Amino acid sequence: MKKLVVVLMLVLGVVSFANWTVVNSGEDRESNTNNRQPGVAVLYDDRDGKYDIYRFTMSHGFWADKGSVLDKAALNEKIFGVDAYKVLKYKGKKCINLTEQEAVNILNAIDYKESTGY
């Protein structure tokens, strides 16, 4: 019985703390004019299997590396008063909980180009 309780606690603990994986990062047509969050990162939400698109700051050498795993605290982090990550808005809507095809369509529309950082 104790083993069952421990296993159940582990499973619920893993499920309740969602992680996002950076699957791609780069720039778009606003990168040269947006000084706060010029970078664009595509995140895969491990909890629901959907994609989110975020802008991120490049302040002080910060970069969203492909393969990095982020938690809620990392998404809410601030670097010298600037949000490290901010949900990208496209046509007035937040780019969260997207299918792969929806994410690709938005990335094409904003002239996204993959980059490996600076």
Side-chain angles (χ1 to χ4, degrees):
M1 185 65 178
K2 287 182 183 180
K3 288 181 182 180
L4 178 64
V5 171
V6 170
V7 170
L8 187 58
M9 286 174 50
L10 287 172
V11 169
L12 290 177
V14 170
V15 171
S16 64
F17 296 107
N19 288 324
W20 291 265
T21 305
V22 178
V23 293
N24 219 327
S25 59
E27 300 175 334
D28 68 350
R29 64 176 168 236
E30 289 185 20
S31 292
N32 291 329
T33 59
N34 184 337
N35 294 328
R36 285 185 146 322
Q37 285 96 9
V40 177
V42 182
L43 308 179
Y44 179 77
D45 190 339
D46 297 331
R47 180 182 41 132
D48 61 10
K50 300 277 184 143
Y51 292 87
D52 302 338
I53 303 174
Y54 279 78
R55 289 197 156 284
F56 65 91
T57 185
M58 292 182 197
S59 178
H60 297 80
F62 181 84
W63 188 262
D65 291 318
K66 186 176 182 178
S68 298
V69 177
L70 308 171
D71 59 6
K72 189 81 168 170
L75 290 178
N76 293 326
E77 184 179 355
K78 290 187 182 284
I79 299 175
F80 295 103
V82 176
D83 293 329
Y85 291 92
K86 186 175 181 179
V87 177
L88 181 115
K89 288 186 180 177
Y90 177 69
K91 294 187 177 180
K93 294 183 181 179
K94 291 183 176 183
C95 297
I96 55 174
N97 296 325
L98 305 170
T99 64
E100 185 176 3
Q101 189 58 49
E102 289 171 331
V104 168
N105 291 342
I106 291 170
L107 293 172
N108 287 334
I110 64 172
D111 295 332
Y112 173 80
K113 292 177 183 49
E114 183 179 3
S115 182
T116 56
Y118 295 101

